[in-house]
């Protein structure tokens, strides 16, 4: 199987998704993870093995404990692939911000034209206050 298939299969299980959510905040030992579930420790260990083999978590042996850490890259790749199925594309913020900047300048220019001669503009009123 390819990496994307492995990641999709791993996140298909609700227990494994919950483990990923738990690891989002901080690394945890296998015992800390298992303590949060009503299933057996061997069952949690099997879920952790699937997550490790799919590349979604990394484990590190520290003394008698194995500490698990979330690996973000495979989830990002899955997310990038899934975005093609959204009804809309992600916004192009640079273009939207440039359009907003243009509108702000246009509004300021029009406001300056609509004020009678000799009347201080709003900006000038703020400066004198």
């Amino acid at each position: 199987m390819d990496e994307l298939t492995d990641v999709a299969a791993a996140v298909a299980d609700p227990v494994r998704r919950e483990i990923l959510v738990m690891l989002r905040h901080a690394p945890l030992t296998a015992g800390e993870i298992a303590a949060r579930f009503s299933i057996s420790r061997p069952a949690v260990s099997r879920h952790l093995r699937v997550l490790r083999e799919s590349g979604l978590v990394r484990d590190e042996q520290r003394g008698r404990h194995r500490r698990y850490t979330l690996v973000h890259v495979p989830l990002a790749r899955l997310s990038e692939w899934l975005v093609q199925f959204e009804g809309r594309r992600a916004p192009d913020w640079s273009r939207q911000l440039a359009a907003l900047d243009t509108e702000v300048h246009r509004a300021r220019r029009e406001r300056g034209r609509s004020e009678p001669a000799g009347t201080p503009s709003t900006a000038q009123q703020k400066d004198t206050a």
Side-chain angles (χ1 to χ4, degrees):
M1 281 196 271
D2 66 349
E3 179 188 25
L4 199 57
T5 302
D6 291 342
V7 171
V11 300
D13 185 275
V15 171
R16 291 192 286 265
R17 288 194 305 267
E18 184 61 30
I19 292 171
L20 293 174
V21 170
M22 291 171 14
L23 293 174
R24 183 181 62 184
H25 302 292
L28 296 170
T29 64
E32 291 170 326
I33 294 168
R36 299 183 187 187
F37 291 98
S38 60
I39 60 177
S40 69
R41 283 182 177 248
V44 171
S45 291
R46 285 190 294 275
H47 286 296
L48 288 169
R49 186 182 70 234
V50 170
L51 291 171
R52 188 178 62 247
E53 289 174 354
S54 68
L56 288 168
V57 299
R58 180 177 46 247
D59 66 327
E60 177 184 341
Q61 188 74 37
R62 288 197 177 172
R64 293 180 37 209
H65 301 285
R66 189 173 295 274
R67 189 169 205 80
Y68 288 86
T69 305
L70 179 66
V71 179
H72 297 274
V73 174
L75 289 171
R77 289 183 183 138
L78 178 61
S79 178
E80 290 168 4
W81 183 80
L82 288 170
V83 79
Q84 70 181 314
F85 299 104
E86 289 183 6
R88 55 179 173 73
R89 291 202 164 248
D92 178 4
W93 288 109
S94 60
R95 189 181 328 158
Q96 291 182 351
L97 290 172
L100 175 62
D101 188 47
T102 300
E103 288 303 315
V104 167
H105 287 293
R106 182 179 296 143
R108 286 180 182 162
R109 190 172 51 241
E110 289 174 1
R111 185 177 28 191
R113 286 187 207 148
S114 65
E115 293 175 358
T119 305
S121 68
T122 309
Q124 290 171 338
Q125 289 174 358
K126 287 181 184 176
D127 290 339
T128 59

